[in-house]
């Protein structure tokens, strides 16, 4: 069920960081093999710190582990698609919901499993869910820990689209290829603006938008987009 180990988490974060700095990478897809997307964290793969646990150790582990993991998706400078092929539970659900676009197979389900273990949701769950579906719905999912089938997740607004399992990979690839043909830097700045807009006032959001457009107009793709409009042809973006 793809419970994510410490090593796997670090590897995924490294790949996302590399994708941000590599101009040849134009889009990212996160998916899984087998019948599950991610069943949560597998703490058996964590490094052994040794010694007695003291106050602050757990908070530090969460900051440096689950929160860094989710932030690496949100901060990636390329659009990130989740292709959820099965159960996404705990940090696995938050991994999917942190992505920019979420595709789910008809067999997928999302579970805020923390309450079942007597735990507080970590890995950004209490940040992500209210922004996606509102505080009351978020509390319902987190208080009860019920399994949310793909169709219900789509109705709530947790996912963009539900597709048959046989079409998941094909649809994710088609979306990624479409994004990869777009103006990559403009998409990156759009992602940053949208993510930041949820936490700032209108004045700050408007200032950030104007600054982003100022920077974006220095890119090759912006020049190409304007030129193609004037010349009445389809644009050919390079991601630069």
């Amino acid at each position: 069920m793809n419970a994510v180990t410490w090593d796997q988490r670090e590897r995924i974060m490294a790949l996302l960081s590399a994708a941000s700095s590599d101009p040849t990478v134009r889009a990212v897809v996160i998916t899984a093999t087998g019948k599950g997307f991610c069943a949560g964290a597998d703490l058996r793969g964590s490094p052994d710190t040794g010694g007695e646990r003291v106050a602050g150790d757990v908070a530090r582990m969460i900051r440096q582990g689950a929160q860094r993991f989710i932030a690496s998706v949100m901060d990636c400078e390329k659009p990130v698609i989740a292709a959820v092929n099965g159960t996404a539970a705990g940090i696995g659900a938050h991994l999917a919901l942190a992505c920019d676009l979420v595709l789910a197979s008809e067999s997928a389900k999302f579970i805020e499993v923390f309450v079942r273990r007597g735990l507080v949701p970590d890995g950004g769950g209490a940040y992500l869910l209210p922004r996606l579906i509102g505080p009351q719905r978020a509390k319902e999912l987190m208080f009860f820990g019920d399994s949310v089938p793909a169709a219900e997740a789509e109705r709530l607004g947790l996912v963009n689209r539900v597709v048959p399992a046989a079409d998941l990979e094909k649809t994710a690839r088609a979306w990624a290829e479409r994004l990869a043909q777009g103006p990559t830097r403009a998409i990156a700045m759009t992602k940053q603006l949208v993510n930041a807009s949820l936490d700032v006032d209108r004045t700050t959001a408007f200032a950030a938008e104007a600054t982003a457009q100022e920077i974006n107009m220095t890119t090759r793709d912006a020049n190409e987009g304007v030129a193609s409009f004037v010349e009445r042809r389809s644009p050919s973006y390079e991601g630069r």
Side-chain angles (χ1 to χ4, degrees):
M1 297 294 289
N2 296 314
V4 65
T5 66
W6 184 89
D7 288 340
Q8 289 168 336
R9 186 187 68 208
E10 294 296 316
R11 175 63 173 154
I12 293 169
M13 287 191 288
L15 288 168
L16 288 165
S17 177
S20 287
S21 60
D22 186 347
T24 66
V25 175
R26 307 281 294 277
V28 175
V29 176
I30 297 178
T31 191
T33 57
K35 63 180 181 179
F37 177 74
C38 178
D42 183 352
L43 298 180
R44 293 171 299 179
S46 301
D48 183 10
T49 56
E52 182 181 355
R53 177 180 293 171
V54 299
D57 283 352
V58 172
R60 188 182 312 106
M61 179 182 69
I62 297 299
R63 288 195 304 269
Q64 296 178 355
Q67 291 177 348
R68 279 180 58 233
F69 185 39
I70 297 305
S72 70
V73 179
M74 301 180 72
D75 294 340
C76 181
E77 295 179 28
K78 306 297 165 66
V80 183
I81 300 169
V84 184
N85 58 301
T87 298
I91 194 68
H94 300 167
L95 171 62
L97 300 179
C99 293
D100 303 305
L101 300 169
V102 184
L103 294 168
S105 74
E106 292 173 338
S107 61
K109 53 186 176 181
F110 300 80
I111 310 172
E112 285 296 322
V113 75
F114 298 92
V115 72
R116 300 185 186 182
R117 312 288 181 255
L119 300 173
V120 170
D122 61 39
Y127 176 86
L128 290 166
L129 257 72
R131 286 164 170 76
L132 290 168
I133 60 176
Q136 274 71 33
R137 289 289 193 182
K139 291 172 188 174
E140 179 182 345
L141 298 188
M142 291 180 166
F143 289 0
F144 292 117
D146 292 336
S147 175
V148 180
E152 175 69 4
E154 183 180 29
R155 188 186 71 79
L156 289 172
L158 290 172
V159 306
N160 294 86
R161 189 172 301 175
V162 176
V163 298
D167 295 338
L168 182 64
E169 181 179 352
K170 178 178 67 177
T171 305
R173 182 174 294 277
W175 281 29
E177 289 177 349
R178 185 175 177 184
L179 288 168
Q181 293 169 5
T184 307
R185 298 312 305 156
I187 292 173
M189 283 184 273
T190 301
K191 173 176 177 173
Q192 292 168 359
L193 287 172
V194 173
N195 287 348
S197 73
L198 300 171
D199 299 316
V200 300
D201 57 64
R202 177 174 62 86
T203 300
T204 304
F206 275 27
E209 177 186 275
T211 300
Q213 193 69 291
E214 174 78 22
I215 296 169
N216 182 63
M217 289 303 295
T218 67
T219 65
R220 296 183 197 173
D221 282 348
N223 291 329
E224 166 63 10
V226 173
S228 66
F229 174 76
V230 172
E231 297 166 10
R232 298 184 179 183
R233 59 176 174 79
S234 297
S236 179
Y237 295 121
E238 302 175 6
R240 299 174 184 269

